[in-house]
Amino acid sequence: STATTPAEAENWIAHIEKLFEVLGVDDVFKVRLATYKLEDDAHRWWKALKNARGGDNYAATLAWDDFRALFYQQYFTDADRSEYLREYASIRQGDDEPIMEFKARFSRLVNFLGPAAGTPQQQTENFKWAVCDRDRKFILNLRFTDITEVVDAVKNLDNEKKQREKKSDGDRKRSRENDQDNSNNQGGNEQSQDREDRSDRYYNNKSRSGRNRYQNRRPA
């Protein structure tokens, strides 16, 4: 019926789109069903807009994305839109921000701005350049048709990094195990050599003792 803040307008749109998804609503019916849910001030706004632009024929051919942009223009002040434009122009992915969270934050701004966010291709380019420095250098020269492809490319980079880290951890673990085995073997060899040395000394001492007794014995 009304929205006092941009967040309330966004929440209503998100609620309606969730209903569309659950019910499997085709694009041609989305505007008709959404405007059916408008009441009071919102209904009066839509009725005036529709009549000024061609009545039911205009509503029947209006795409959902276009309706959403008109809806946001109604409930976002000029100051709100200016703030969103500044944020959109400087948006960057945080170094520790997961790519899916960044995509949600980026898409939220795109929904707020509507046509001011640029064409889908421009949005894709802006999203690619907004990816954090760590990943952007690997995808900068690649061409993408939509934001989803950029997200997939970044996810692949993350998966490869995890695989390399896992392999590196495995190599370090095997290296430590080999060092431990070598240390154990060296210790065993030293113990064996020590036993041999003690045995040699024992028999040498016995041999010298026997010779001494024989040399000290007087002839009969």
Side-chain angles (χ1 to χ4, degrees), residues 1 9 12-20 23 25-40 42-47 50 59 62-69 71 75:
S1 60
W12 186 83
I13 289 291
H15 172 71
I16 292 297
E17 289 181 332
K18 185 164 63 175
L19 292 178
F20 291 162
L23 298 176
V25 179
D26 293 335
D27 290 341
V28 294
F29 299 112
K30 287 181 178 179
V31 172
R32 186 183 306 175
L33 292 176
T35 54
Y36 173 77
K37 297 290 291 180
L38 297 176
E39 300 175 356
D40 300 334
H43 174 69
R44 286 190 288 273
W45 159 77
W46 168 245
K47 185 176 180 180
K50 180 180 69 172
L62 183 64
W64 171 250
D65 289 344
D66 293 335
F67 170 82
R68 185 172 55 192
F71 184 84
Y75 288 103

Side-chain angles (χ1 to χ4, degrees), residues 171-182:
D171 292 341
R172 285 195 295 268
K173 182 179 179 181
R174 285 191 294 271
S175 178
R176 289 194 298 269
E177 291 174 349
N178 291 335
D179 292 342
Q180 183 66 33
D181 291 341
N182 292 334

